[in-house]
Amino acid sequence: MNPLNIVILAAGKGTRMYSENPKVLHALAGKPLVQHVLDCAIALQPQQVCVVYGHGGEAVPKAMQQYPAKFVIQEPQLGTGHAVQQAIPHLADAGQTLVLYGDVPLIQHSTLHQMQQAGDGLVLLTVDLDNPAGYGRIVRNEQGDVLSIVEEKDASPEQREIREVNTGILLAPTGKLREWLANLQNDNAQGEYYLTDIVAMAVRQGIAVHTVQPAHEWEIHGVNSKAQLAVLERAWQQVEASRLLAHGVTLADAARIDVRGKLSCGRDVEIDVGCIFEGEVRLGNNVQVGAYSIVRNASIADGTLIAPYSLIDSSKVGANCHIGPYARLRPGTKLHDGVHIGNFVEVKNSEIAANSKANHLSYIGDSTIGSRVNIGAGTITCNYDGANKYRTVIEDDVFIGSDTQLVAPVRVGKGATIGAGSTITKDVPQGELALSRSRQTTINGWKRPTKQIGEKK
Ligand code: UD1
Ligand code: MG
């Protein structure tokens, strides 16, 4: 295949977003609009990607600096043709150039691939709309050959009746594109250099003009306002939900799930309403996710139950675990099989071996916990002395009584028991009982104070 250049236009101001941030940096499904386009572009393995930016200073190149793209400024913005002209010096003549838009985030690889297969010459992505208002119209002759694109503001009443519109996305031979762009004029209703004028130039030179249509209309929708962004977000979430359903996932309500990244599921997964999945999430077979849970960059192995209102972030959860309700797993948590983490338990940067339990109201931070350990309600690892953090090590088969504080660094030996209400500051030998609390006493005959009459507080 010919070497491919990709130009992404992203210089528009986005006035109707009413935001200090450039339009293309607003997020859809948790990712900036332009990043969706860049990801799709990179997947086509181009030799060069050029992003044309304008408004918002260096915000766009800075936010997207991890991409192997050339960032070219367009200042002032004199139209789509002028925008592509800014990129042209950075493109080699051989091969083709694909023009994409930073505010048309959902264009799919398969559609672009179809354009690449459409033949030599100029390839336009077009779509038939019931309401074509605002778009450039595709003008064809009686044989159905494309003659030109006419912008709405320049169109005759008859041309405005045409329902086939220009999505803006096109593929052109780079050498020809360079030549055509150099000949653009701005004698039109908007006084702009229209990229669309290259179509008539191609026709005049007898170069074939092909059209391709996208598989879904949402692929070509642009974002100009928060309202359009909200509509597109829902459209995309519906696509994600349909994909999960098609794969056999049970969704309590397909309209009440949000996937902001990549969610992959095994067999017989059930997801209740209001759940959010962010980054890369992998759910094994028979995993159940309770209502209003948030799972981010995590893997959950087979048969694990996540009860409602749990938050799992950058963690690895083993098989047949029971998490929540109201559990919080923070980054660096690794749970082996059969672990139970109950309500209002926070775990951070800790590894917990198989079949251990922390069922109620605990903080476990910077800890290594063995198998079959029972962590009583209200237990806290005191991992921070105000300056440094230290580890707590709890070996296999330990029983930690309720409301214990473990002041790190500290180690509790295998099979040891800690009495409830203890503050443990020294290592506990294996198999022993450790206690650190004063003995209970009874004050005989003690009376509660009573309210004195006539005295004001
Ligand atoms: C353009 C097309 C029109 C098509 C429509 C699809 C032209 C002349 N018209 O019209 O046929 O139906 O898109 O939405 O191309 N941009 C720049 N620099 C500029 C001008 C625009 O980067 O100087 C970028 C914008 O940020 C935007 C895109 O190009 O992402 C389209 O620009 P816009 O002004 O919205 O073009 P339309 O008038 O909608
Ligand atoms: Mg537009």
Side-chain angles (χ1 to χ4, degrees):
M1 199 180 287
N2 280 331
L4 180 67
N5 298 302
I6 299 180
V7 178
I8 300 175
L9 303 191
K13 188 166 183 190
T15 314
R16 284 187 282 152
M17 297 296 271
Y18 297 102
S19 167
E20 297 299 317
N21 301 319
K23 172 166 74 173
V24 296
L25 292 185
H26 288 259
L28 181 136
K31 190 161 85 171
L33 299 175
V34 69
Q35 197 173 346
H36 284 268
V37 183
L38 274 163
D39 285 339
C40 187
I42 297 294
L44 291 167
Q45 299 181 313
Q47 63 169 9
Q48 175 76 284
V49 177
C50 251
V51 179
V52 181
Y53 70 101
H55 281 277
E58 297 304 301
V60 172
K62 218 169 149 207
M64 297 297 126
Q65 63 187 3
Q66 72 272 34
Y67 285 89
K70 184 121 202 124
F71 294 90
V72 186
I73 192 155
Q74 184 199 16
E75 189 59 60
Q77 285 106 38
L78 303 177
T80 50
H82 178 254
V84 179
Q85 267 171 3
Q86 310 311 305
I88 277 287
H90 306 282
L91 311 180
D93 263 352
Q96 293 169 297
T97 294
L98 174 65
V99 179
L100 300 176
Y101 298 82
D103 60 356
V104 182
L106 297 183
I107 186 68
Q108 298 295 294
H109 185 274
S110 50
T111 295
L112 299 177
H113 185 70
Q114 219 186 311
M115 290 177 73
Q116 287 183 293
Q117 304 298 310
D120 289 338
L122 184 56
V123 184
L124 307 175
L125 186 67
T126 73
V127 67
D128 293 309
L129 296 180
D130 291 337
N131 176 14
Y135 287 89
R137 308 297 204 279
I138 307 293
V139 181
R140 294 178 184 265
N141 65 16
E142 274 158 21
Q143 285 74 50
D145 303 323
V146 174
L147 295 180
S148 64
I149 297 175
V150 55
E151 292 305 299
E152 169 147 306
K153 287 182 177 141
D154 304 291
S156 66
E158 298 78 48
Q159 288 170 330
R160 288 188 191 183
E161 295 297 313
I162 299 171
R163 288 178 38 229
E164 186 185 9
V165 305
N166 174 35
T167 65
I169 293 172
L170 59 80
L171 182 66
T174 309
K176 281 285 162 195
L177 182 63
R178 185 190 310 279
E179 176 194 322
W180 295 330
L181 289 174
N183 290 316
L184 287 183
Q185 305 293 321
N186 65 348
D187 50 350
N188 51 52
Q190 303 184 81
E192 287 183 3
Y193 294 93
Y194 290 165
L195 175 61
T196 46
D197 284 351
I198 68 170
V199 178
M201 293 181 187
V203 171
R204 250 179 269 135
Q205 295 182 353
I207 289 170
V209 181
H210 309 278
T211 58
V212 166
Q213 299 229 326
H216 318 93
E217 204 184 291
W218 46 256
E219 290 185 46
I220 58 90
H221 283 166
V223 172
N224 297 300
S225 64
K226 286 292 170 86
Q228 287 176 347
L229 179 59
V231 169
L232 208 53
E233 174 80 35
R234 282 308 103 201
W236 181 246
Q237 292 306 336
Q238 211 179 329
V239 171
E240 291 279 15
S242 302
R243 185 149 51 206
L244 292 168
L245 292 169
H247 187 72
V249 176
T250 300
L251 300 179
D253 182 351
R256 283 187 287 168
I257 176 172
D258 284 84
V259 180
R260 301 172 189 157
K262 188 163 168 273
L263 170 62
S264 53
C265 296
R267 284 193 174 262
D268 298 304
V269 167
E270 292 180 19
I271 298 171
D272 210 335
V273 299
C275 293
I276 301 173
F277 299 91
E278 296 183 341
E280 283 224 18
V281 175
R282 156 117 206 110
L283 306 179
N285 299 327
N286 294 299
V287 167
Q288 291 181 42
V289 185
Y292 303 103
S293 292
I294 300 172
V295 187
R296 179 185 302 138
N297 294 318
S299 71
I300 317 286
D302 297 355
T304 284
L305 170 72
I306 297 163
Y309 300 102
S310 295
L311 171 54
I312 298 177
D313 187 1
S314 308
S315 296
K316 198 163 183 278
V317 178
N320 302 312
C321 291
H322 192 301
I323 312 296
Y326 301 101
R328 181 174 183 204
L329 305 185
R330 289 172 53 199
T333 295
K334 184 172 181 207
L335 308 182
H336 293 246
D337 297 350
V339 168
H340 288 200
I341 300 294
N343 39 238
F344 307 106
V345 174
E346 174 183 351
V347 184
K348 185 215 77 172
N349 189 31
S350 293
E351 180 163 359
I352 304 182
N355 301 314
S356 289
K357 295 176 183 172
N359 271 329
H360 329 269
L361 304 157
S362 276
Y363 172 59
I364 299 168
D366 302 313
S367 302
T368 305
I369 297 177
S371 301
R372 299 172 301 279
V373 169
N374 189 73
I375 310 265
T379 295
I380 286 170
T381 56
C382 310
N383 58 333
Y384 185 50
D385 64 6
N388 299 296
K389 293 199 172 140
Y390 301 97
R391 287 199 78 79
T392 298
V393 178
I394 301 173
E395 297 180 357
D396 294 346
D397 299 299
V398 163
F399 183 97
I400 311 269
S402 296
D403 198 23
T404 294
Q405 299 98 51
L406 297 152
V407 181
V410 71
R411 171 182 289 265
V412 182
K414 194 170 174 355
T417 302
I418 312 276
S422 295
T423 301
I424 300 297
T425 55
K426 294 195 287 265
D427 288 359
V428 177
Q430 69 175 58
E432 304 293 354
L433 168 69
L435 278 176
S436 76
R437 61 183 190 220
S438 53
R439 221 167 256 288
Q440 183 171 334
T441 54
T442 302
I443 313 291
N444 287 319
W446 181 83
K447 292 268 186 309
R448 274 194 206 166
T450 54
K451 198 166 182 80
Q452 292 181 9
I453 296 158
E455 195 183 303
K456 271 200 176 157
K457 233 171 50 141

